[in-house]
Amino acid sequence: MLEEKQKEYEAALRHVIEEAVDRKMKTPRDFDFLAEAIFEKLHQSLSASTLKRFWGYLPQYSTIRVSTLDLLAQFADYKDWDAFCQETQMGNGGEKAQGSLSPSTSSERPRPRHTLLYITIAVGGLLVVGVIMMFLAPFTDNRNQEGMPSAVSYTLKRGQIFETSDDYLRLFGITDNNHYWDQPLPHHEGVVIWGPEYHHPVWHNDGEIDSLMPTITEWWEPADSLTDGKERKLLMEERNKHLYFTVMRTNELRITFMKNISESGYMFLGVYRADQERSDSTHVVWERVAEECDLSNLSYLEQLRH
């Protein structure tokens, strides 16, 4: 493959992946997120350093491996790197490559214009609103302290189970579920809606289930496919140090819904803050600072940072 074509296809693959995850790769946190997303989908690891080199964030001293390109293409729902290049070439020839993650831009896709379709969408939206209101009804408190009618309130309580991540993210007004395990809370800087997996093979997320996780110990360890002992140690040091200093700098709060702690779904565990005394550059210990979360008054979260 000519070098110029190779660069063109690599640029197209970067674009497709950014479109797929709805995120531009610009910061170390973005590359950490993408590395985790790749592992979640394919159960294979690419280090954040490799991704940084492919995006030009770090200098690339050698040609990117075909095995790495294959993995990135598979993440974008192609069979392998060759298949991606072939479909991209077809698209550049005037015939768009097919598939939801094809290199064509969303602005080039035909948009529905039929009135019937709009009516169907509107009716569907009303039905969704009705279902949500029925779900919230049992948690509605219609009177304030003076006994007067008040606005609808909904308080999450420790131990509540949600069948899917969509079920709890929608309560916060979030419908983009591309990275459910780490969603920033809208309009609340430094607050994250966290969906960790208990005993995750890479991030671990360990704690005492019997007491519903008063603390959660988080640390990153590369998958077994990375067998080089020296590289493994360096990757662990880099990733865990970055996690620790990021958390300490931002004083992050995490509204936590844990997967695999119950027989199914996600369990709400409370609001967590990093324990500075028990955390270090090798791991972060999260301590529960609230067992409930009042969705009608999220401004109180700031009081939990100290």
Side-chain angles (χ1 to χ4, degrees), residues 56-261:
Y57 188 86
L58 292 177
Q60 184 173 315
Y61 299 106
S62 59
T63 304
I64 193 81
R65 296 177 180 177
V66 174
S67 59
T68 298
L69 294 171
D70 282 339
L71 196 59
L72 289 169
Q74 289 163 13
F75 178 74
D77 289 340
Y78 290 83
K79 180 181 177 181
D80 52 27
W81 169 240
D82 286 341
F84 174 81
C85 293
Q86 290 173 9
E87 292 204 27
T88 303
Q89 186 176 27
M90 288 173 59
N92 290 340
E95 182 180 349
K96 296 286 186 287
Q98 299 298 312
S100 60
L101 292 175
S102 67
S104 60
T105 61
S106 59
S107 62
E108 295 172 323
R109 301 181 185 129
R111 299 181 178 178
R113 298 182 181 273
H114 299 294
T115 303
L116 180 58
L117 179 59
Y118 290 136
I119 293 174
T120 303
I121 293 173
V123 172
L126 290 173
L127 289 174
V128 170
V129 171
V131 171
I132 293 174
M133 293 304 294
M134 290 176 62
F135 175 73
L136 292 180
F139 306 98
T140 300
D141 180 8
N142 290 324
R143 294 187 177 275
N144 58 23
Q145 293 179 347
E146 289 74 32
M148 299 297 291
S150 62
V152 171
S153 65
Y154 177 41
T155 299
L156 292 166
K157 298 182 184 297
R158 188 185 64 167
Q160 278 183 253
I161 303 293
F162 295 85
E163 185 175 346
T164 70
S165 56
D166 281 329
D167 292 338
Y168 65 76
L169 285 173
R170 287 196 182 103
L171 298 177
F172 299 91
I174 296 174
T175 56
D176 175 10
N177 193 10
N178 284 337
H179 45 288
Y180 66 89
W181 56 89
D182 185 18
Q183 281 276 11
L185 179 63
H187 314 300
H188 293 272
E189 187 175 358
V191 181
V192 170
I193 303 171
W194 189 27
E197 178 182 338
Y198 180 67
H199 277 327
H200 191 282
V202 173
W203 286 101
H204 298 279
N205 304 320
D206 287 341
E208 294 293 333
I209 287 184
D210 292 341
S211 51
L212 293 187
M213 315 290 281
T215 63
I216 301 172
T217 302
E218 177 187 24
W219 79 93
W220 184 86
E221 183 178 0
D224 294 338
S225 57
L226 295 173
T227 56
D228 188 295
K230 185 176 180 181
E231 181 183 8
R232 186 184 188 89
K233 183 178 179 181
L234 289 174
L235 285 173
M236 287 182 64
E237 290 178 353
E238 177 187 354
R239 182 69 69 88
N240 288 312
K241 186 181 295 183
H242 174 70
L243 170 68
Y244 170 71
F245 285 110
T246 299
V247 168
M248 292 300 110
R249 184 181 70 252
T250 59
N251 196 15
E252 188 172 276
L253 289 175
R254 294 188 174 185
I255 303 172
T256 303
F257 300 81
M258 181 165 276
K259 185 179 180 182
N260 291 346
I261 196 175

